[in-house]
Amino acid sequence: MEFNFLGRAFKGDKVIWCIFMALCIVSLLVVFSATSTIAYRQHNHWSPILRHAIFLLIGFGLVLFLQRVPSRFFSVLLLGLPVSAILLIITMFMGEDVNGAQRWLGVGAFTIQPSEFAKISAIGFVAFFLSKIKPNNESWIFKTLIIGVGGLCILIAPENLSTACLLFGVCFILMFIGQVSLKKLGFIALAGIAAAVLLFGSLTLLPESVAKEYLPDRLATWKNRIERHSDEESKAMVNEDGSIAYKITDENYQVSHAKIAIANGGIIGLPGSGTERDFLPQAYSDFIFAIILEETGLLGGLFVLLLYVALMFRCGVLASKCEKKFPRYLILGSALILTIQALANMAVAVNLIPVTGQPLPLVSRGGTSTIITCAYFGIILACSSKINDEHEDIDESIANVDFEITENITE
């Protein structure tokens, strides 16, 4: 009886449910530890974790709702594209400036991040049109996809270049999976590489004085991040006794303390005894993976990494079982954007790439990002639920045929 109740309450693929639950538990434990600086400022030990737990609870409710929605209804995400574009334009002029970027739009006492709505809308937009593609309409569908996704990314890029690149990259991979002409995709890839090289070269070669004087604030920030990452090793100095000292400056402050956190963690970590959470400004968001490595060690970090890898692998298996294209591309798009974003966050924490500002999906403390991430899981579960229903119908049909054959033989 209890098993049947759980089966009715938690529809969809059980592996995806296990990954979702595991990430929620990791999130609660790590955010509780990583928000020590916020708790100190607010003089309330429980306030930061309660806020995060409420958003996770709202997201969990959203997952329970979405898992029961037939996958065809997710085509409503098409309407989210123009709405997201309008919100992004409003944010450019009326957005709240947080850490030097206008990415948030205040609505009363709440703030939302339009780029998160844009990402999930773009995934639904691309999945819908790819499901309709045929040899006789491929050209105009490709143009529609490039205009829709490209326009959205252009609106996101000025204040959040990493998110724009992430979104366009995921949509590009989806178009490749959707068998869009390689010639068309190759042209877009070459144009993107040329633009990236031009931007990177310009920011690298431009003198610091000129950048501060004439470049917009965000371009100057990108230039500084690139230079900090490339010059990281130059901060090491050799003392008179031959030992190597590392100088921590304002420019390398976050990266340096992230490295200290990783070194402190070792193999099994320091559960509840980490110190770098008190020094990293974004310990509960951008650099939360460094806190995971400090408090749970290499083993805990590998466990979290494997959860995202398992998510991508399992979603690939589910997508291969989908008979209809739309849910197949929804599953793949949702899994790709979660996994690639997670890898980007981890790469920043271990100093493989410059700081991007990407949170660790479902683990980092957040409001809009947490709820939208839960929406991705709800979409995946809804599509997987349809697959399970189809397989149950097939099994039932086979059972009925076997019963009829047995009955006829008996007679």
Side-chain angles (χ1 to χ4, degrees):
M1 183 71 179
E2 183 180 354
F3 180 78
N4 291 336
F5 170 76
L6 291 175
R8 289 194 301 269
F10 299 95
K11 296 176 68 67
D13 188 72
K14 300 302 181 287
V15 175
I16 300 296
W17 267 114
C18 289
I19 294 171
F20 175 75
M21 294 294 191
L23 287 173
C24 286
I25 293 170
V26 169
S27 179
L28 287 170
L29 293 175
V30 179
V31 169
F32 178 70
S33 179
T35 51
S36 58
T37 53
I38 298 178
Y40 178 79
R41 288 198 304 268
Q42 295 182 354
H43 305 289
N44 188 329
H45 190 66
W46 295 101
S47 177
I49 189 61
L50 282 175
R51 176 189 178 276
H52 184 61
I54 288 171
F55 277 113
L56 277 177
L57 191 61
I58 294 171
F60 182 76
L62 182 62
V63 173
L64 289 177
F65 170 74
L66 290 178
Q67 66 170 347
R68 299 180 177 278
V69 176
S71 59
R72 64 180 182 275
F73 288 107
F74 292 123
S75 57
V76 75
L77 289 171
L78 285 169
L79 301 177
L81 203 74
V83 173
S84 298
I86 293 170
L87 290 175
L88 287 167
I89 293 171
I90 294 173
T91 305
M92 286 182 182
F93 300 98
M94 302 174 59
E96 295 186 8
D97 193 316
V98 180
N99 295 327
Q102 286 183 285
R103 300 176 184 174
W104 287 264
L105 189 62
V107 181
F110 301 94
T111 57
I112 61 173
Q113 196 169 0
S115 60
E116 292 295 331
F117 291 105
K119 286 195 297 186
I120 194 169
S121 299
I123 294 300
F125 177 81
V126 173
F128 177 82
F129 278 101
L130 284 178
S131 67
K132 304 299 180 183
I133 200 167
K134 295 177 182 177
N136 62 337
N137 64 7
E138 180 183 347
S139 181
W140 76 263
I141 283 183
F142 175 74
K143 291 177 182 176
T144 302
L145 291 175
I146 293 300
I147 292 171
V149 175
L152 210 58
C153 290
I154 289 172
L155 292 174
I156 296 172
E159 297 296 332
N160 201 341
L161 180 62
S162 60
T163 296
C165 293
L166 169 68
L167 178 58
F168 193 84
V170 169
C171 292
F172 184 88
I173 294 172
L174 269 183
M175 285 187 275
F176 176 78
I177 296 172
Q179 299 181 341
V180 172
S181 168
L182 291 178
K183 183 178 179 181
K184 292 183 173 66
L185 292 177
F187 176 78
I188 295 298
L190 288 175
I193 293 171
V197 170
L198 182 62
L199 178 62
F200 180 81
S202 302
L203 293 176
T204 304
L205 298 175
L206 206 62
E208 186 71 25
S209 57
V210 176
K212 289 183 178 179
E213 185 71 24
Y214 298 105
L215 285 184
D217 291 341
R218 291 306 298 169
L219 284 176
T221 300
W222 300 343
K223 175 178 171 62
N224 290 335
R225 286 180 177 177
I226 293 171
E227 290 177 347
R228 288 174 196 168
H229 184 73
S230 59
D231 295 342
E232 191 64 30
E233 297 304 323
S234 65
K235 301 295 187 299
M237 299 180 298
V238 180
N239 295 325
E240 293 179 358
D241 60 356
S243 61
I244 297 176
Y246 187 83
K247 184 179 180 181
I248 299 178
T249 65
D250 290 341
E251 287 76 18
N252 68 354
Y253 184 84
Q254 285 184 311
V255 172
S256 298
H257 282 287
K259 288 181 176 180
I260 294 171
I262 295 169
N264 289 343
I267 301 297
I268 59 175
L270 306 167
S273 302
T275 58
E276 294 309 304
R277 60 193 178 188
D278 297 326
F279 296 96
L280 278 167
Q282 298 295 325
Y284 46 82
S285 181
D286 298 358
F287 285 89
I288 197 167
F289 189 64
I291 303 303
I292 292 173
L293 288 171
E294 182 180 31
E295 301 211 348
T296 64
L298 181 62
L299 295 178
L302 284 174
F303 173 72
V304 174
L305 172 61
L306 289 175
L307 285 177
Y308 291 104
V309 173
L311 171 66
M312 187 69 251
F313 178 78
R314 185 58 183 172
C315 285
V317 172
L318 293 173
S320 67
K321 295 179 180 179
C322 279
E323 295 183 0
K324 295 182 178 179
K325 292 182 178 180
F326 182 53
R328 180 191 308 164
Y329 296 137
L330 277 178
I331 290 175
L332 289 175
S334 299
L336 279 168
I337 204 159
L338 292 175
T339 306
I340 295 176
Q341 182 176 321
L343 294 177
N345 177 279
M346 295 175 188
V348 168
V350 298
N351 199 33
L352 287 178
I353 61 175
V355 177
T356 62
Q358 293 297 322
L360 191 59
L362 203 61
V363 176
S364 292
R365 179 179 182 268
T368 308
S369 61
T370 298
I371 293 174
I372 296 299
T373 300
C374 290
Y376 288 122
F377 275 95
I379 289 171
I380 293 169
L381 288 167
C383 295
S384 69
S385 179
K386 178 66 175 176
I387 297 170
N388 292 339
D389 290 344
E390 290 173 353
H391 286 179
E392 288 176 3
D393 291 342
I394 293 171
D395 293 340
E396 186 177 346
S397 299
I398 293 173
N400 290 336
V401 170
D402 289 341
F403 176 75
E404 290 177 3
I405 291 173
T406 306
E407 190 178 43
N408 290 334
I409 292 173
T410 304
E411 291 177 359

